[in-house]
Amino acid sequence: MIEDQKIQTSLEQLNQLLADYPVIKEFQQIQLEAQQNSRLKSLEEEIKQAQKEAVQFAHYGKLEAEKAAIQRIEELTQQYNQHPVVQLYRERLAQANELLQYVTQTIQKKVNQAIEEGTQRASEN
């Protein structure tokens, strides 16, 4: 039970350290900005609507209308992907992921070392 509390405390400390890290703070800020951006929300809705239309046109065999809807989807998706907030979001997401992968790999390495040391000690006894 005490060991579980130590682990939980350590995890909370690590979580707080990560939350305070500048890369994570920047990511969270741009994420919030992206979620609140009315143009992005509008584009998302337009893409969803065009996707629904394309499916309906395909269902009813309206090939030209389906092609036009697919073209519209591609145009809207390109606008979305080229939006500065989306590009910045993706950059910050990549940076945050790199940090988290580094932390995860470091923890994994330390745990594996501790297990190996424990196994070696057990086999020596």
Side-chain angles (χ1 to χ4, degrees), residues 33-123:
E33 196 175 316
Q35 291 170 346
Q36 295 175 344
N37 189 295
S38 60
R39 178 64 184 139
L40 291 178
K41 286 181 183 180
S42 175
L43 280 170
E44 289 170 1
E45 289 304 315
E46 289 180 57
I47 291 168
K48 287 177 189 177
Q49 185 59 39
Q51 289 171 333
K52 288 178 185 178
E53 290 172 2
V55 169
Q56 287 177 345
F57 293 142
H59 179 73
Y60 291 110
K62 297 182 178 184
L63 299 180
E64 289 303 315
E66 179 188 7
K67 286 180 186 178
I70 290 171
Q71 179 63 33
R72 180 78 177 134
I73 294 166
E74 290 172 0
E75 291 169 3
L76 292 168
T77 302
Q78 186 176 8
Q79 287 178 34
Y80 186 88
N81 290 336
Q82 291 177 348
H83 193 284
V85 173
V86 171
Q87 291 178 347
L88 188 57
Y89 171 84
R90 289 181 177 157
E91 289 173 15
R92 295 301 183 263
L93 176 61
Q95 292 172 349
N97 281 339
E98 287 176 19
L99 173 64
L100 294 176
Q101 286 178 0
Y102 172 77
V103 169
T104 301
Q105 290 171 354
T106 302
I107 291 170
Q108 185 177 16
K109 187 186 292 183
K110 297 282 184 182
V111 168
N112 287 341
Q113 287 174 349
I115 290 171
E116 287 177 20
E117 290 172 6
T119 304
Q120 288 175 353
R121 279 190 224 128
S123 66

